[in-house]
């Protein structure tokens, strides 16, 4: 199997894991779903209301990250700061409770830092 085959297989398996997760959790207007997408360079997070099928708030590490990330560095620090920025926007929009959707990724590294940033920003999971 060449490199493209392994990449396709990895993507297919992640998509299946994400589908299993989405079967069990659902975002509402009162408690939206925080879904995470991780690429090689960036991380994106969106608050989604599944009942209406709309995205309420979205952030990405592409839009610059400034602040104190503690002992974190690099992409993990950027993910933490993006999570805090998303939480600040959400709290400003009267959203304080969410359902976390890790998007089929392991709860580790950047995904975990994003979740910790959202918690430190004031969101409850």
């Amino acid at each position: 199997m060449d490199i493209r085959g392994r990449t396709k297989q990895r993507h297919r398996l992640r998509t299946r894991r994400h589908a299993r997760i989405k079967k069990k959790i659902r975002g509402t207007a009162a408690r939206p779903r925080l879904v995470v997408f991780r690429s090689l360079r960036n991380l994106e997070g969106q608050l989604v209301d599944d009942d209406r099928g709309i995205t309420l708030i979205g952030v990405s590490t592409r839009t610059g990250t400034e602040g104190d990330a503690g002992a974190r560095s690099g992409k993990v620090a950027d993910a933490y700061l993006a999570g805090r920025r998303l939480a600040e926007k959400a709290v400003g929009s009267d959203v304080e409770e969410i359902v976390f959707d890790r998007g089929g990724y392991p709860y580790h590294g950047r995904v975990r830092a994003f979740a910790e940033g959202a918690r430190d920003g004031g969101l409850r999971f």
Side-chain angles (χ1 to χ4, degrees), residues 11-62:
H11 176 72
R12 195 174 308 122
L13 291 172
R14 186 196 69 82
T15 304
R16 289 177 66 183
R17 279 192 305 271
H18 192 199
R20 279 197 308 267
I21 293 167
K22 279 177 62 173
K23 274 194 305 190
K24 297 173 187 169
I25 62 174
R26 185 157 185 81
T28 62
R31 195 168 180 211
R33 178 171 55 103
L34 171 56
V35 61
V36 175
F37 175 76
R38 189 187 76 190
S39 70
L40 289 177
R41 292 186 183 179
N42 296 299
L43 187 102
E44 299 172 3
Q46 296 180 336
L47 288 180
V48 178
D49 179 359
D50 290 317
D51 291 340
R52 294 188 290 169
I54 60 170
T55 298
L56 305 172
I57 299 169
V59 297
S60 172
T61 57
R62 280 184 270 153

